[in-house]
Amino acid sequence: MARVELTGLAQEDLDRLYETLSLPADARERILRSLRTLEDFPKAGKLLAGVWRDCRALIGPFGWLIVVYTYVEKDDRVIVVAFHDARTSNAATGGR
């Protein structure tokens, strides 16, 4: 089972989303549940390209929330590097 970790920048992204959006009261628990999926399926997300080429993206728990992460297979670690609002122009995408 992979260990899931959040970088400081990912935590800042998440805090910013809480400040700027009206997230439901149970949002943190829903996000944690989505991250737990990565414990058993660390390669579940789509591989990204461009500046995000070493990362994967997973959508959830909201249809607009992109979880950007990398999987360090030799250490069995998932490192969440960012949370993006897919509705913005600067969100990570799979495009080249």
Side-chain angles (χ1 to χ4, degrees):
M1 181 178 295
R3 185 174 74 235
V4 178
E5 306 168 14
L6 270 67
T7 63
L9 291 174
Q11 186 61 54
E12 289 175 18
D13 286 347
L14 198 52
D15 292 343
R16 190 172 19 265
L17 290 172
Y18 271 95
E19 290 173 13
T20 59
L21 303 174
S22 297
L23 297 179
D26 67 342
R28 282 201 192 272
E29 179 54 37
R30 292 168 68 177
I31 292 167
L32 288 174
R33 259 195 321 265
S34 290
L35 295 178
R36 280 189 216 116
T37 300
L38 297 174
E39 291 175 342
D40 293 323
F41 305 102
K43 294 182 180 180
K46 177 182 178 183
L47 279 171
L48 298 175
V51 297
W52 297 103
R53 70 183 165 277
D54 296 326
C55 295
R56 293 177 172 274
L58 183 71
I59 304 295
F62 310 103
W64 53 265
L65 182 63
I66 302 173
V67 179
V68 182
Y69 71 95
T70 187
Y71 176 52
V72 182
E73 194 163 2
K74 70 179 182 76
D75 297 330
D76 204 20
R77 292 173 49 212
V78 170
I79 303 168
V80 178
V81 295
F83 290 95
H84 291 173
D85 184 339
R87 302 168 295 186
T88 64
S89 63
N90 62 344
T93 63
R96 296 193 188 276

